[in-house]
Amino acid sequence: NAGVTQTPKFQVLKTGQSMTLQCAQDMNHNSMYWYRQDPGMGLRLIYYSASEGTTDKGEVPNGYNVSRLNKREFSLRLESAAPSQTSVYFCASSEMRRGADTQYFGPGTRLTVL
Amino acid sequence: QKEVEQDPGPLSVPEGAIVSLNCTYSNSAFQYFMWYRQYSRKGPELLMYTYSSGNKEDGRFTAQVDKSSKYISLFIRDSQPSDSATYLCAMSGRDDKIIFGKGTRLHILP
């Protein structure tokens, strides 16, 4: 099992460009999450999907959109990138959307917006 | 007051020492408490999970929760250089919202 995979690993964008971060999990998990991690800020939830077909905003959703393509895949789109979106982005999955459930994280995507 | 507070470190200790990592929190509704370990340029991975108050031991790691003081700890015995990482506390309550601490960077010196 690969667990949670993310593509790309690194990306450099210019302000105003768009891109989609891809995430897939092979653990048959129902819930999937997108976080960003910034120095001094910790992990902050951008969007989550409790189950296939549903998505909800997290703590910092502005400037992002998501798509739960199927049970395995959850993508994050930046429509018009801004320097403030320079960050490391992590996708995670868990069996259920419960606080007690273990979240399994991907390796991250390092995004720089110039 | 922030919901979860964690000293960012860095914390440097010699190999073999006992390490104590801590978080405080303000929300008395939290009942699930977790510690994640994150190696450099990797995603976090769950290390320990406890429910409510008390201690839980797993090998060299002990997680401790004191709900009356709103304080959780992770102890690492016989620390190894491979324990060098960032440790994030995380907690949640009935609303399933997980709050992460900002992480403490730990360096174990050979």
Side-chain angles (χ1 to χ4, degrees), chain A residues 10 35 37 40-43 90 97-103 105-107 110, chain B residues 32 34 36 38 41-44 46 49 88 92 95-98 100-102:
Chain A
F10 304 92
Y35 292 90
Q37 187 175 40
M41 300 296 291
L43 278 166
F90 288 102
R97 171 131 177 94
R98 287 188 305 230
D101 263 353
T102 301
Q103 292 197 7
F105 286 81
R110 294 181 178 275
Chain B
Y32 302 101
M34 293 148 279
Y36 281 80
Q38 185 176 20
R41 297 186 173 270
K42 301 287 186 184
L46 184 68
Y49 150 69
L88 300 95
S92 67
D95 65 357
D96 299 333
K97 182 180 168 185
I98 297 177
F100 286 87
K102 294 179 181 179

Side-chain angles (χ1 to χ4, degrees), chain A:
Chain A
N1 287 352
V4 178
T5 57
Q6 292 182 238
T7 55
K9 287 188 169 53
F10 304 92
Q11 185 70 50
V12 178
L13 293 177
K14 294 181 180 177
T15 296
Q17 288 185 317
S18 62
M19 79 162 295
T20 299
L21 282 65
Q22 306 286 354
C23 173
Q25 53 92 6
D26 61 3
M27 296 173 282
N28 202 35
H29 284 167
N30 290 299
S31 299
M32 298 185 73
Y33 313 82
W34 276 105
Y35 292 90
R36 59 178 291 174
Q37 187 175 40
D38 303 288
M41 300 296 291
L43 278 166
R44 292 183 292 170
L45 183 65
I46 305 171
Y47 270 93
Y48 67 93
S49 171
S51 61
E52 186 178 354
T54 68
T55 60
D56 285 285
K57 294 178 181 179
E59 184 184 352
V60 288
N62 290 347
Y64 305 95
N65 285 301
V66 290
S67 294
R68 183 74 183 264
L69 304 169
N70 48 55
K71 193 172 185 179
R72 290 187 64 247
E73 298 172 290
F74 189 37
S75 63
L76 178 72
R77 182 160 178 84
L78 287 71
E79 290 291 351
S80 179
S84 60
Q85 294 178 304
T86 292
S87 187
V88 182
Y89 291 85
F90 288 102
C91 178
S93 72
S94 65
E95 186 174 345
M96 299 290 288
R97 171 131 177 94
R98 287 188 305 230
D101 263 353
T102 301
Q103 292 197 7
Y104 294 85
F105 286 81
T109 294
R110 294 181 178 275
L111 175 67
T112 301
V113 183
L114 302 175

Side-chain angles (χ1 to χ4, degrees), chain B residues 38-85:
Chain B
Q38 185 176 20
Y39 290 114
S40 182
R41 297 186 173 270
K42 301 287 186 184
E45 56 178 343
L46 184 68
L47 191 61
M48 298 282 286
Y49 150 69
T50 53
Y51 171 70
S52 196
S53 284
N55 290 4
K56 183 174 182 179
E57 190 173 317
D58 184 1
R60 297 185 295 111
F61 299 90
T62 299
Q64 191 174 78
V65 174
D66 182 347
K67 291 190 76 177
S68 61
S69 302
K70 297 190 180 66
Y71 189 89
I72 69 170
S73 300
L74 178 70
F75 298 97
I76 307 175
R77 291 185 299 280
D78 187 25
S79 56
Q80 305 294 312
S82 58
D83 295 327
S84 297

